[in-house]
Amino acid sequence: TFTDSGGESHGAVVEMLRACAAQLLLATLAFLLLYVITGPEGSPGGSHFALLVLYLAALWVGKLTAPFKKLPPLLPMLLVGFLLRNVPELGTMIGKQVDPEWSSALRLSALTLILTRAGLAMDLNALLRLRFVVLRLAMLPCLCEATAAALLATWLLDFPPLWAAMLGFVVAAISPAVVVPSLLALQDQGFGVEAGIPTMVVAAAPLDDVLSIAGFGICLGISFAESSWLNYARAPLELLLGLGTGMIGAALLAVLTPSSNEEEGAKDLRLLLLLSAALCTAFGLREVGFSGAAALAVLVLGAGCARGWGPAAKPVSASIADLWTRLAQPLLFSLVGASVVVTDLETETLAGGLLIIFIAGLVRFCAVMLALSGRGMKQQEKFFTAIAWTPKATVQAALGGLALDEAREDNEELLGRRLLAVAVLCILVTAPPGATLIALMGPRLLQKVDKPEVEDTGFLQRPAELEFQNTTWSPRIGCGKIGRRAGELLVKHVLDNDLRTSVLAF
């Protein structure tokens, strides 16, 4: 046995070394190819070389920290970008060499991918089913926190009203990348399922981000608009343009690639059309000065395609999720980390930013408790939902640098750097504690639905069977009541879970 164990250990070490050697060879070939194609820009000290180093370093650190399930991968990626910009020798060779235009374009592309993925993942059925509580949970905490952060920013950081509103919407957006996986892990263990907490939070998370992104984009467009008459009509114009563009694009893609088309290559065609349409929409609307409409249009485009394609949208969503994990996520967070320069940060900005995040977070906490009132939830369930509604990460990384990219004057550039610093600070302060608290407090505050015992028949008796088996047929009860009872149980199960799980249960 000892010999077998030693042989298995030796084989595992050999496989690990072989995989590492393959990764190093791949990286070496990538750098050689980059130099052959781009010349000096692909050599040390060039902008393309710096981008490749940032991407590979963030990708590898993300893989190394992947076994730590409670640690969001964005944190080590942010840290890598921060170090490659601020460590003296590395910063000179890598961080400072990143071309600002390339950085801006890549961050916008990553944001477009996030929004497309969020649109495809939006559960419209769950949204309709829990529409009132979901809308309250998505809108009330977001607007309250954004208002509180904006008021504090005008006082503590001397931000003009529109810049303060932008900072408020950046701070207010929660991170589905942190919240959703944590809630789904608790749901798999049976925690909070009876109260429908995972379904409610997962359905409300994209709407919270939609509201924050749309609000930020509208304020951004008004702040940098050159035409004065357009400012008065910009807010409704941004909303109408975003909704109209997204709906027209989704309708066109649904007609050109219907769900009935199951030919080989149909999935790839849908993926390419959706990504191309989303990127063209985002860059095109930004080019004509409607950044807020761009974000909303991409979200509506993704949601419309999910609705039009039906089950055929799931493979497309899976491919976009894989593209996000392997390409966009390491690029986005490493570039955001590299945008933070320690020497440019002021003590006043850090102290004011921490105070804004803390006070606005308390306002959000109270707003969540208020939004859930009247639903019959227990106090500990409301308390846990408020905890789960605190982590910030993805949207802050995507939006934090957009105002800096649009800055034209020195004062605007200073405000943009302060806004970016507060966004990064918000990620560092809320994401790790938020993910940890969700994992620790969920089993303590939420009621667990115990899995039914497995009988000797070899089949798992599902909760619906356990409840329905007590309703037996008799001439006095009749088949109609049996059917109505089954329907009531199915509706109850759908409310507590999702449609697929409920159908399997029955």
Side-chain angles (χ1 to χ4, degrees), residues 175-234:
S175 174
V178 179
V179 174
V180 173
S182 302
L183 266 294
L184 292 181
L186 289 174
Q187 179 177 267
D188 291 341
Q189 301 173 45
F191 291 106
V193 173
E194 187 173 353
I197 291 176
T199 299
M200 177 181 63
V201 173
V202 170
L207 293 181
D208 180 278
D209 288 347
V210 168
L211 186 59
S212 298
I213 292 168
F216 174 87
I218 291 170
C219 294
L220 180 69
I222 296 174
S223 298
F224 295 101
E226 297 178 358
S227 179
S228 58
W229 67 269
L230 189 60
N231 291 344
Y232 299 101
R234 178 168 287 272

Side-chain angles (χ1 to χ4, degrees), residues 88-381:
E89 295 298 329
L90 292 175
T92 304
M93 182 178 295
I94 299 172
K96 293 181 181 179
Q97 303 302 324
V98 176
D99 188 344
E101 292 186 2
W102 272 94
S103 178
S104 174
L106 290 172
R107 288 203 305 270
L108 180 58
S109 300
L111 174 62
T112 303
L113 204 63
I114 294 171
L115 296 174
T116 307
R117 184 185 175 192
L120 286 172
M122 196 174 291
D123 190 346
L124 297 179
N125 293 325
L127 181 60
L128 291 174
R129 186 173 67 241
L130 302 171
R131 54 189 177 276
F132 297 115
V133 67
V134 166
L135 287 176
R136 288 203 308 267
L137 185 60
M139 296 181 66
L140 185 61
C142 176
L143 293 176
C144 288
E145 185 177 17
T147 302
L151 293 174
L152 290 168
T154 58
W155 174 45
L156 296 173
L157 300 178
D158 293 328
F159 270 37
L162 283 174
W163 280 84
M166 279 193 284
L167 185 141
F169 281 116
V170 168
V171 170
I174 67 163
S175 174
V178 179
V179 174
V180 173
S182 302
L183 266 294
L184 292 181
L186 289 174
Q187 179 177 267
D188 291 341
Q189 301 173 45
F191 291 106
V193 173
E194 187 173 353
I197 291 176
T199 299
M200 177 181 63
V201 173
V202 170
L207 293 181
D208 180 278
D209 288 347
V210 168
L211 186 59
S212 298
I213 292 168
F216 174 87
I218 291 170
C219 294
L220 180 69
I222 296 174
S223 298
F224 295 101
E226 297 178 358
S227 179
S228 58
W229 67 269
L230 189 60
N231 291 344
Y232 299 101
R234 178 168 287 272
L237 187 60
E238 294 258 9
L239 289 173
L240 292 175
L241 186 60
L243 288 171
T245 305
M247 292 173 66
I248 292 173
L252 181 62
L253 294 186
V255 170
L256 293 178
T257 55
S259 57
S260 58
N261 184 6
E262 299 180 358
E263 297 179 1
E264 185 178 357
K267 186 208 80 171
D268 296 334
L269 180 60
R270 292 189 185 100
L271 176 64
L272 290 174
L273 284 173
L274 178 58
L275 287 180
S276 301
L279 289 170
C280 288
T281 299
F283 280 93
L285 289 176
R286 189 185 73 161
E287 190 66 24
V288 296
F290 291 97
S291 300
L296 186 58
V298 173
L299 272 167
V300 174
L301 176 65
C305 286
R307 187 76 171 182
W309 289 337
K314 291 183 178 180
V316 177
S317 181
S319 298
I320 291 179
D322 189 57
L323 189 61
W324 160 254
T325 302
R326 295 175 182 271
L327 179 62
Q329 182 177 239
L331 268 176
L332 174 63
F333 290 113
S334 61
L335 285 171
V336 169
S339 300
V340 180
V341 184
V342 172
T343 55
D344 292 344
L345 294 178
E346 304 168 351
T347 306
E348 180 184 355
T349 301
L350 294 177
L354 285 173
L355 198 58
I356 290 171
I357 293 167
F358 179 73
I359 296 177
L362 287 179
V363 172
R364 167 179 276 270
F365 194 93
C366 297
V368 172
M369 300 289 285
L370 180 62
L372 296 177
S373 60
R375 192 173 179 263
M377 294 177 65
K378 300 176 181 178
Q379 284 298 119
Q380 61 264 32
E381 293 173 340

